[in-house]
Amino acid sequence: MCVLRVLSIVVVLFGGPSLSQANDEFSTWAENTLWPMARSQGVTEQTFQSILENITLDPSLPGLSVSAGQSQAEFRHPRRYFSAGGLRDNTRIGQSHYRTHAGTLREIERATGVPGHVILAIWGRESSFGRASIPHDAFDVLATHAYLGRRRDYFSNELVAAMQIVQSGYAHRSQMRSSWAGALGQPQFMPTNFLEYAVDGNGDGHRDIWSSEADTLASIGHYLKDHDWRANRDWGFEVHVPSHVSCTEEGPDQGRSIADWEREGVTRVSGGPFPPAERAETGYLLMPAGQDGPAFLVTDNFYVLKQYNESDAYALYVGHVGDRIAFGSSDFERSWGQGDTIRAADVLSMQQILVASGFDVGGADGLVGFKTRRSIGAWQEANDRAATCYPTNALIRAILR
């Protein structure tokens, strides 16, 4: 039996228990809950003790139980993902890496079917092509989420996986730096994803997503392939949507053939035709900022990108920057607009009212996903308003009334 000795756990306290009480409670949880899980996954007592004896828990991390400060947070409009300077920089640096790693990327595409420019766009978004400073100690982050967070089982599993990474010699303890959510290395893999999807891209016998660019690129490609990326397909197209096609038709559960969308009057903003091979395939309407922002027909590959990060804006960023890297594509034709400054707590209240009124918002979470957007549009249509499918402060007040 492991008798856990937490030698110097530090808890950043906000009116919580005393330090000694926090030490005792964490030690009890680690010994009775975490250690049996770790032991069953092959983690030795020595590894377990050495990692947990110097842990700093930080309740200020995002994603824990909602605090007063977090409830006041601003909801992020999609436009904030697409700053002109950021797009230009990632495109320019990505094109340079496209030339530098041309041979490696060709090999990865042959093995996985994933185009090199898509892999580069993810690398750029996740870690600025390996240049970003990764701020947190991964074990502090994972232990905090596992002990204090809302998804304790998930993060306990990730914490154990991080222990396995160190024990197996894939990384030194000092290399285990992470995002606030515990994502590691240049591709920002969660620890379980590292164990399952990281590969040796340079043939040196190691899986190194911290310092090897080849391993990073190959690992991203392997991840997308294993999440069903379809070779020789686009991720999507920016389109003009005629006024008779409602924004409530958005979503991955309302797909139809791209030829059918064409017959409805949906056209590419480029003025060119959809590729012949795509016309018989299923396309899905995507309007991340509702009726007043850019619109897209996306393919199944778009939703593979969302497996990497569950965000429409993220997947759209990757697809768009990838196209700019490979084809010199320009900015979106339609502006994102300014949008209102909206509190996430107000979005949450709006969602709760919509749910009580019988609308499916996909979970009341303060985020404006496609189900929330089209529920807004359906509410607008039911109340004799033109559907815009995106919240404003005035619209939220109307729904709350």
Side-chain angles (χ1 to χ4, degrees), residues 7-8 23-24 43 54 76 80 92 94 109 132 137 145 164 167 243 262-263 280 294 300 342 363-364 391 395:
L7 300 182
S8 58
N23 276 328
D24 291 343
V43 174
N54 287 291
R76 295 177 64 85
R80 298 177 65 174
R92 175 180 53 81
E109 183 166 3
D137 178 275
H145 283 289
Q164 292 175 294
Q167 180 172 288
S243 59
E262 277 187 303
R263 283 188 282 272
D300 292 328
I342 300 173
L395 180 57

Side-chain angles (χ1 to χ4, degrees), residues 52-253:
L52 288 192
E53 66 186 9
N54 287 291
I55 289 290
T56 299
L57 301 183
D58 183 2
S60 70
L61 289 173
L64 302 176
S65 57
V66 178
S67 68
Q70 289 171 319
S71 70
Q72 298 297 318
E74 178 186 336
F75 172 74
R76 295 177 64 85
H77 189 278
R79 72 176 185 280
R80 298 177 65 174
Y81 237 83
F82 299 102
S83 72
L87 291 171
R88 283 195 301 269
D89 288 347
N90 268 7
T91 299
R92 175 180 53 81
I93 298 169
Q95 288 172 335
S96 175
H97 281 294
Y98 208 18
R99 295 187 291 270
T100 300
H101 297 289
T104 297
L105 292 169
R106 282 195 297 271
E107 288 298 322
I108 294 170
E109 183 166 3
R110 275 195 287 268
T112 66
V114 183
H117 57 271
V118 172
I119 294 171
L120 288 171
I122 290 177
W123 184 28
R125 183 65 198 177
E126 292 295 340
S127 65
S128 295
F129 304 99
R131 299 174 305 153
S133 175
I134 300 176
H136 299 288
D137 178 275
F139 289 104
D140 289 350
V141 167
L142 294 170
T144 298
H145 283 289
Y147 181 56
L148 300 174
R150 292 176 292 172
R151 304 170 63 196
R152 298 184 183 186
D153 290 345
Y154 170 80
F155 280 102
S156 294
N157 193 43
E158 295 296 342
L159 177 55
V160 170
M163 294 178 182
Q164 292 175 294
I165 289 171
V166 171
Q167 180 172 288
S168 299
Y170 293 120
H172 296 294
R173 173 68 176 81
S174 61
Q175 288 179 285
M176 297 291 281
R177 308 295 297 174
S178 78
S179 70
W180 64 263
L184 305 171
Q186 296 188 43
Q188 287 290 275
F189 276 180
M190 294 301 291
T192 54
N193 284 340
F194 172 87
L195 293 175
E196 187 167 359
Y197 300 113
V199 295
D200 174 15
N202 59 12
D204 68 355
H206 300 284
R207 297 188 285 169
D208 178 8
I209 62 170
W210 293 272
S211 58
S212 170
E213 294 181 345
D215 289 9
T216 294
L217 298 172
S219 297
I220 294 170
H222 184 222
Y223 180 96
L224 295 178
K225 175 180 182 293
D226 272 25
H227 285 79
D228 298 323
W229 180 274
R230 290 183 58 186
N232 303 314
R233 285 209 70 190
D234 285 288
W235 65 268
F237 312 90
E238 188 181 358
V239 295
H240 291 301
V241 178
S243 59
H244 66 269
V245 175
S246 172
C247 53
T248 60
E249 296 184 45
E250 179 185 8
D253 53 352

